[in-house]
Amino acid sequence: MLSRILIANRGEIAVRIIRACKEMGVQTVAVFSEADKESAHVGMADEAICIGPPPASESYLNIANIIAAAEVADVDAIHPGYGFLAENSQFAEICASCNIDFIGPSPESMILLGDKERARKVAYSAGVNILAGNDEPLTDDADALSLAHKIGYPVIIKAAAGGGGRGMRVARNDPSLINGINIARAEAQAAFKDSSVYIEKYLEDARHIEIQLIADKHGNIVHLGERDCSLQRRHQKLVEESPSPAIGPELRAEMGNAAIAIAKASNYTNAGTAEFLVDQNGKFYFIEMNCRIQVEHPVTEMVTGIDIVLEQFRVANGRPLSFKQEDIQINGVAIECRINAEDPKNNFKPDPNRITKWYQPGGRGVRVDTHAYSGMVVSPYYDSLVAKLIVHRPTRAECIIAMKCALEEFDISGIKTTIPLYLEIFGHTRFIRGLINTTFIEDNFSR
Ligand code: ADP
């Protein structure tokens, strides 16, 4: 049984994992960069080790320093959280070779699903719909042009190693395709040290719907329903909800089975998320698999009552899942808002400053996952998420009202945040009626 673990992450997710460990009686070792000395996760863990200077490449992405910290602290396992090294199969392999459990899927599953182009093939072979696109990496412009003509514009150019909306470009004609490929390649090389890109049909007026999976090492795979993550800026999620106002029990079961088929085809274990785009007729297409816990996991926890992080530990300990598919029930509606230190009126420009006042909402069915506090400096080195506000109510209408109240109660000074934008969104009739798609924010709140 795992009794002492290292959390290779920072911010709210490190706090979230430490909380789960405390409940289980598992000792925790935090790691931190020189910029994060005052961070909440450092104070909460049983032990904390500095792993390097502020840039992530020298600290949270520094495999040698993290493994050295794990060996010095003598831990049984590493929980990678999300981002940073969470989907790095090489890191998972190094953990295994050092006799440290990696709390996540096996390196083999990660290799199979980590490359988005390869993941498309896995899904296709499992009988799941994918959008038309290329099967082999693009080699030259002529290739790309003939493929785009075959699929038909618009198309989207994506980095095979991509994540976080980077290295992605929509092209609606030949010149923008060639130009977009060059930009996407350069962005992908800079962000992921891998310039391979692929092309996929761009689906207009689509929703982003994802299925939460959890799989044990005994062949049991259960899905925990969907999250609707259609509210995005620049292809990055801002607001997530479960269940989706557009998905009924039949489509949920169909998408859940598709996600399970992909997990089976890749021998998947632990928590993971299969992401899909859904068109206006309810036809769905797999886009990628996230082989880790996700930022938006709390909405699923609120409606299913399942603690996904605890289940991750259960699976890592080799125990069978504590529930079966027929035990899963969706109760009420949960919505999450990502509170980012960004100026929504200035193209979401990050605003890393000192928080001078922090008063967070509370009450029945209100959850705030955060590492922030009054006096904390938001670091310019990492992403700008300062809190996740999650509200749970019996119906979507009640949830929207309660979320508005909670957003109004959230009193933050010293940094600009995305809260004013959310207040506008939650008052918009299309959002209230559940009529959203992935370009809803750009189409209605362009700034
Ligand atoms: P990342 O890994 O960078 O998050 P994803 O492949 O998950 O990238 O896509 C992120 C978002 O980009 C989707 O939620 C959607 O809004 C948009 N997107 C991706 N692929 C398509 C597509 N083929 N058609 C329309 N939108 C897409």
Side-chain angles (χ1 to χ4, degrees), residues 1 35 63 135 138 165 191 215 225 230 240 298 310 319 332 391 421 426 442:
M1 296 290 274
I63 295 181
D135 301 325
L138 291 175
S230 302
E240 302 99 350
L310 286 189
R319 293 169 64 198
V391 173
L421 170 68
F426 285 83
E442 266 112 340

Side-chain angles (χ1 to χ4, degrees), residues 46-99:
D46 295 307
E47 195 181 331
I49 300 176
C50 183
I51 46 162
S57 58
E58 296 174 46
S59 49
Y60 298 105
L61 290 170
N62 186 330
I63 295 181
N65 286 8
I66 291 173
I67 295 289
E71 296 209 308
V72 168
D74 196 19
V75 298
D76 309 318
I78 293 184
H79 195 306
Y82 54 69
F84 297 127
L85 296 170
E87 291 178 282
N88 185 320
S89 57
Q90 202 198 345
F91 178 60
E93 271 166 8
I94 294 171
C95 288
S97 68
C98 297
N99 228 352

